[in-house]
Amino acid sequence: MNQLKKFMAELVAQGVAIAFSGGVDSSLLLKVAAEEGKKLGVLVHAVTFETSLHPKADLEIAAKVAEEVGAIHKVIFIDELTKAEIIENPIDRCYHCKRFLFEELIDYTAKHNLKYAVDGTNLDDLSQYRPGIRALEELGIISPLAKLKIDKATVRKYAQQMGLSVYNRPSAPCLATRIPYNTKLDMKVLEKIDIAEAFLKDLGFAKNRVRLHDNIIRIEIDSTDINSAVAHREDIVARFKQLGFLYITLDLEGFRSGSMDIHLQKG
């Protein structure tokens, strides 16, 4: 933790804007940066992207955490679906999306005379399929957690120690990860998926994914919750049918991040 505090203090001293989703990674960075900023008499900027492809709950959570730590919070609306290379959903969609978003962050830092743009990529992300990391490297975005070799488990431990309300919040990647690559993104469908995932959360399945394969929905939840999901079968089927989904399935392998990338990782 001391190494992270020292590193963030060096960045904050020269002005920093943090790409802030409200997830545990960026929240930890923001908390540490804000505390170091108070010592130096420097305010830290948290920039949240309001986009078509991210769950709506992200904005509310981000605003809450930014207020908790005392950072300047700026929300920038960006419509990724104005970009053909994103809406067509190629296997490197994440590269194009990250590039689009973080060019805005670079512009923000320049307008506010800040030297560094920072994001919450952690060590674990480097070993997964993350084409967006290339965009961050090209733009000169600094990723302190990855640089200091801090993995997700350590991030959560530090976040809990610092009293962050989101220390155990499940990851919330963009909604496009619920659709197979090379399937054109349809906002009406993605909005229904967002509603479906919120419904499962309300039932008590905090960690879930609703993934669409043609006309089949594949629900991922923690393997320990599968029996409970079966007990809620009628409620889930009724709500999902109401949303217009035709076939509703429960993945017996359980929740796993990046399950749409399995064929790429094996390749």
Side-chain angles (χ1 to χ4, degrees):
M1 174 65 89
N2 289 336
Q3 192 178 17
L4 179 60
K5 289 181 177 180
K6 180 181 178 182
F7 187 79
M8 292 306 297
E10 292 171 356
L11 300 183
V12 169
Q14 299 182 71
V16 66
I18 297 174
F20 181 59
S21 67
V24 63
D25 299 310
S26 58
S27 293
L28 175 64
L29 289 180
L30 186 61
K31 175 71 170 178
V32 173
E35 289 196 352
E36 296 304 314
K38 287 176 184 176
K39 297 175 187 176
L40 298 168
V42 177
L43 289 173
V44 174
H45 295 245
V47 178
T48 300
F49 298 116
E50 179 183 1
T51 82
S52 303
L53 295 180
H54 286 80
K56 301 303 180 188
D58 287 3
L59 279 178
E60 184 178 332
I61 294 170
K64 176 185 175 185
V65 176
E67 184 178 3
E68 286 176 3
V69 305
I72 295 172
H73 188 215
K74 174 67 175 179
V75 178
I76 299 176
F77 176 75
I78 297 178
D79 186 2
E80 310 100 315
L81 300 185
T82 59
K83 294 283 187 180
E85 57 267 38
I86 296 174
I87 199 170
E88 293 298 330
N89 195 23
I91 61 172
D92 63 347
R93 178 204 69 247
C94 188
Y95 166 80
H96 298 290
C97 194
K98 286 284 189 186
R99 179 101 198 180
F100 189 33
L101 297 181
F102 280 83
E103 283 173 348
E104 289 288 332
L105 184 62
I106 293 292
D107 287 345
Y108 181 90
T109 59
K111 289 175 183 175
H112 292 81
N113 297 314
L114 306 170
K115 185 171 182 180
Y116 298 110
V118 172
D119 97 301
T121 299
N122 66 56
L123 180 63
D124 292 339
D125 294 326
L126 302 184
S127 61
Q128 300 173 11
Y129 180 67
R130 294 283 191 273
I133 291 175
R134 177 163 61 93
L136 302 179
E137 292 171 347
E138 290 174 357
L139 293 170
I141 306 298
I142 297 175
S143 303
L145 301 174
K147 184 176 179 65
L148 298 176
K149 295 181 169 52
I150 298 174
D151 62 15
K152 192 75 168 189
T154 305
V155 167
R156 292 196 186 282
K157 181 181 74 172
Y158 288 167
Q160 185 176 21
Q161 289 172 355
M162 299 194 79
L164 282 166
S165 59
V166 294
Y167 79 91
N168 204 30
R169 184 190 175 199
S171 298
C174 87
L175 292 169
T177 61
R178 281 49 158 194
I179 306 292
Y181 292 114
N182 297 314
T183 299
K184 191 171 182 177
L185 301 181
D186 182 331
M187 272 315 303
K188 290 183 179 179
V189 172
L190 295 177
E191 286 168 0
K192 289 179 180 179
I193 288 174
D194 194 18
I195 292 169
E197 290 188 348
F199 175 75
L200 291 176
K201 287 178 184 177
D202 288 343
L203 286 179
F205 306 112
K207 187 184 289 186
N208 76 74
R209 293 287 185 272
V210 172
R211 306 197 193 271
L212 182 64
H213 302 265
D214 295 322
N215 57 6
I216 299 173
I217 278 290
R218 177 169 59 88
I219 299 171
E220 294 180 13
I221 57 172
D222 270 347
S223 56
T224 55
D225 288 332
I226 286 177
N227 288 339
S228 180
V230 173
H232 285 284
R233 180 183 66 84
E234 292 184 2
D235 293 333
I236 293 171
V237 169
R239 183 65 177 120
F240 279 46
K241 292 278 189 180
Q242 187 181 54
L243 289 169
F245 297 126
L246 189 57
Y247 299 109
I248 299 101
T249 69
L250 180 62
D251 192 328
L252 296 182
E253 198 168 350
F255 175 89
R256 56 212 186 278
S257 295
S259 68
M260 288 298 202
D261 302 331
I262 289 173
H263 66 293
L264 299 174
Q265 294 166 355
K266 287 183 177 180

